[in-house]
Amino acid sequence: MSRPRTPAVVVLLVAALLASAVAGLALGPVRIAPGQVLDIVLGGPGRRGGAFASIVWDVRMPRVLLGAVVGAGLAVAGTVLQALVGNPLADPFLLGASSGASLGAVLVIVLGAGAAGTAGTAGALGAVGAIGALGVPAAAFAGSMGALVAVYAMARRGGTMITGRLILAGVAVQYVLSALTSLVLVLAAHPDQLRSVLFWTLGGLGGARWDELPLPAAALLAGTALLIALARPLDLLLAGEEGARTLGLDTGRFRAAVFVLTSLVIGVLVAYSGAIGFVGLMVPHAARMVVGAGHRALLPVAALGGAVFLTLADLVARTAAAPEEIPVGVVTALVGGPFFLWMLRRSTRVEGVAG
């Protein structure tokens, strides 16, 4: 069967993203008719007064936008990492980013923030007291980058990055940092801290604020634009190590540069969303089935697909057990876990992961 043209796929995904965004704005503990949501969003300043307008603009809109940004960024990062390491099971969190970011945020919340409330990730960000609202994102970013630098250093041998060692180093760093995070959780003095930290480590978009959107949005747009510009050398990696070198690509330097760029994007996103797994694993495979493996078409399709997926996952997270809220990382794990096992079963490369 011939694949649909990329513009048609993009149009369909944009329509799906808009529909999922309207659903995210309409549904919740307080339900608002979709028509009324559109009237509030499109009706101009005169339509932005009242309780419903406040719910849409101040509570749900930042959350929907943050979910779309984070989902798009994680999908793009997963797509690129799978090409860089030559393994279909690669995922942004395989390289230690989530564990490092979680540990950094947990340390700030527990040791310096006091009680962080129960509003999820942004609730923790808003309760850091004297440390300031940027304390948790800064610590999460530092932890993420520290973990990624450690993984990259351990994966190098003789000046060359070995993809098999990269994967194994990522798994090892994940275990160590997760154990440290668990230790901090056990030693947490206040139940409120424990709940907030647990919610953060499982991923959450609750309480997202407008002032938190610019940095992750800028990281997504700049990172995706640069990666699309590098689509041709990414395609060369699909020919294998020797094939890419034969075609003139300096694979060592290229992998190092793209790895750093992707790590920066992941670190910024994880700092604002918590540890949300499996988006970067599932969405790239679905996108390849639709538009093929060429990265110039694959990256924008994966970005839109990731935005749609995480927007819908967050909608499920906050409505499935209403009025209680499920961490969105739990929802993505419930979907991604079986997908990972299916990929593990069918992959012909898994047995050679050690390189």
Side-chain angles (χ1 to χ4, degrees), residues 4-348:
R5 292 182 181 273
T6 302
V9 175
V10 169
V11 170
L12 289 175
L13 285 173
V14 169
L17 180 57
L18 292 174
S20 62
V22 171
L25 296 174
L27 300 178
V30 176
R31 299 205 170 194
I32 306 172
Q36 191 170 0
V37 168
L38 292 175
D39 191 44
I40 292 171
V41 173
L42 302 176
R47 302 282 184 142
R48 296 184 184 182
F52 285 171
S54 178
I55 291 172
V56 169
W57 283 106
D58 300 331
V59 178
R60 294 180 184 174
M61 184 71 79
R63 179 169 184 159
V64 168
L65 292 177
L66 181 62
V69 167
V70 171
L74 293 179
V76 167
T79 301
V80 172
L81 288 176
Q82 288 170 11
L84 288 180
V85 304
N87 193 295
L89 300 180
D91 176 84
F93 300 94
L94 180 66
L95 303 182
S98 64
S99 293
S102 297
L103 179 59
V106 165
L107 286 172
V108 169
I109 294 170
V110 172
L111 300 180
T118 60
T121 302
L125 298 181
V128 293
I131 296 176
L134 291 177
V136 173
F141 177 76
S144 175
M145 285 303 301
L148 291 165
V149 169
V151 170
Y152 184 74
M154 287 188 287
R156 291 178 66 84
R157 177 189 293 171
T160 302
M161 188 181 73
I162 302 172
T163 59
R165 291 186 66 178
L166 180 73
I167 296 172
L168 296 178
V171 172
V173 169
Q174 285 272 19
Y175 274 117
V176 172
L177 295 177
S178 295
L180 290 174
T181 303
S182 298
L183 178 62
V184 175
L185 281 171
V186 170
L187 298 178
H190 304 289
D192 288 340
Q193 289 180 342
L194 183 63
R195 179 177 175 85
S196 177
V197 166
L198 180 62
F199 202 106
W200 201 96
T201 57
L202 293 175
L205 303 170
R209 301 190 303 267
W210 284 103
D211 60 352
E212 294 176 354
L213 291 175
L215 182 57
L220 169 66
L221 294 175
T224 303
L226 288 172
L227 290 170
I228 290 176
L230 297 172
R232 184 177 180 278
L234 285 171
D235 290 343
L236 294 181
L237 288 179
L238 301 178
E241 188 77 15
E242 294 300 324
R245 289 179 179 176
T246 301
L247 294 171
L249 180 65
D250 187 338
T251 56
R253 289 185 178 181
F254 178 74
R255 276 201 176 97
V258 178
F259 179 73
V260 171
L261 173 61
T262 309
S263 300
L264 288 171
V265 174
I266 295 170
V268 172
L269 297 178
V270 171
Y272 284 88
S273 68
I276 301 174
F278 294 103
V279 178
L281 174 66
M282 295 184 291
V283 175
H285 288 287
R288 287 190 193 93
M289 293 174 62
V290 177
V291 296
H295 286 85
R296 188 169 298 277
L298 179 61
L299 287 172
V301 169
L304 289 170
V308 172
F309 174 75
L310 194 56
T311 300
L312 293 176
D314 185 56
L315 178 60
V316 172
R318 59 190 174 88
T319 58
E324 294 295 324
E325 183 174 318
I326 303 170
V328 70
V330 172
V331 177
T332 60
L334 289 173
V335 179
F339 181 87
F340 179 83
L341 294 175
W342 176 71
M343 285 294 301
L344 190 68
R345 183 179 180 85
R346 72 186 291 269
S347 175
T348 59

